[in-house]
Amino acid sequence: MKGFVFTFRNNKKVLRFPDVREQGRTVRQFLSRYGIQSVFSALFLIGLVVGAASGRSFQQETFDKLDLLFVTNIDARMDMSVFQIFISCFVSYFLFIFCVFLSGLSAWGFTTIPILSALKGFTVGLSSAFVFSLYQLSGIGFYILIILPGTVLFLFILIRYSAMGFRMSVRYLRLSTFGNDREPELQKHIKAFIKKTLFVLLSIGACAATDMVLWILFANKFEFI
């Protein structure tokens, strides 16, 4: 890092002060690379807090009807086969990825993708608060050991993919604003976006497999009264 150097001849000590301009460039580089992801992470945390605060106000019937979004019906999943657990976890992840994919391929998607990040945080906060309040210590241990690892992995995937979808949607918006002169360039970005989407699908498959293995290994170790 460049800086201003002051030398004192008597004791031969060198004082180096950081270059403010260099720090400014570093901050701009960070915001350019991770700014969108940071915003989506903040929205997820906001949704998480709101969901956790609202957890006790929802009834069990509501969670049962939306089991694809809320992992709260533990008894039902206990009776599932290994394949059914995998499919259930995969579908819950796929719904968000599919919505981001559709939003990324539209000019208005840049407005809905941030909402999806907040919604995911809301579902995580809501389901965790409900499980904690319903099953007490057993629910806390169950959630941390079995549900949380796959959820955290999916969170990283969702935020990164949401940033891709957001940029893709902005490109569509620019095309609709400036005309067809950028269409060949847009097609290249679409192909790259689809290829990255295929990789994301494999990644959420790994998340679902993680959930499945943890359910098989540890779910029967917990007793819920």
Side-chain angles (χ1 to χ4, degrees):
M1 180 180 292
K2 297 180 180 179
F4 302 99
V5 179
F6 294 89
T7 303
F8 298 90
R9 293 182 179 180
N10 293 335
N11 51 16
K12 296 182 179 180
K13 291 183 179 180
V14 177
L15 297 178
R16 185 178 297 273
F17 294 92
D19 191 340
V20 177
R21 293 173 297 179
E22 184 70 22
Q23 289 184 339
R25 285 194 292 269
T26 302
V27 172
R28 286 195 297 270
Q29 290 174 356
F30 176 84
L31 292 177
S32 176
R33 186 170 182 179
Y34 300 108
I36 298 176
Q37 297 182 35
S38 299
V39 171
F40 290 158
S41 299
L43 291 173
F44 174 86
L45 292 176
I46 293 173
L48 182 69
V49 172
V50 175
S54 307
R56 295 186 178 183
S57 62
F58 282 71
Q59 301 296 325
Q60 177 70 50
E61 292 77 10
T62 303
F63 291 102
D64 292 342
K65 294 178 181 178
L66 299 174
D67 190 49
L68 289 177
L69 296 178
F70 306 101
V71 185
T72 55
N73 195 348
I74 297 176
D75 294 333
R77 292 203 177 190
M78 288 288 191
D79 298 330
M80 291 182 179
S81 65
V82 174
F83 180 73
Q84 288 175 329
I85 293 174
F86 175 82
I87 293 299
S88 177
C89 296
F90 181 84
V91 170
S92 66
Y93 297 143
F94 176 79
L95 288 176
F96 283 92
I97 296 299
F98 183 65
C99 290
V100 173
F101 176 75
L102 293 181
S103 299
L105 296 179
S106 63
W108 47 266
F110 73 97
T111 61
T112 60
I113 292 177
I115 296 176
L116 291 171
S117 297
L119 178 61
K120 180 58 182 178
F122 180 79
T123 60
V124 172
L126 193 64
S127 60
S128 60
F130 182 80
V131 171
F132 294 169
S133 63
L134 184 63
Y135 299 108
Q136 304 299 324
L137 291 178
S138 296
I140 295 175
F142 185 90
Y143 197 93
I144 293 176
L145 183 61
I146 298 177
I147 301 177
L148 190 60
T151 301
V152 172
L153 289 175
F154 176 70
L155 173 60
F156 286 108
I157 296 171
L158 178 64
I159 290 177
R160 186 173 179 83
Y161 185 66
S162 295
M164 298 178 190
F166 184 87
R167 295 189 182 96
M168 191 71 242
S169 177
V170 170
R171 292 188 179 99
Y172 266 99
L173 180 63
R174 290 176 179 174
L175 176 64
S176 61
T177 303
F178 297 105
N180 296 327
D181 55 333
R182 298 188 179 186
E183 186 172 356
E185 180 182 354
L186 180 64
Q187 292 177 353
K188 294 180 181 179
H189 288 295
I190 292 175
K191 292 180 181 179
F193 182 63
I194 292 176
K195 290 180 180 179
K196 292 176 181 178
T197 301
L198 295 177
F199 177 77
V200 167
L201 292 177
L202 293 176
S203 300
I204 64 173
C207 292
T210 300
D211 289 337
M212 179 188 69
V213 171
L214 292 175
W215 274 83
I216 294 172
L217 294 178
F218 302 110
N220 293 327
K221 306 297 182 181
F222 290 86
E223 293 182 1
F224 301 100
I225 302 176

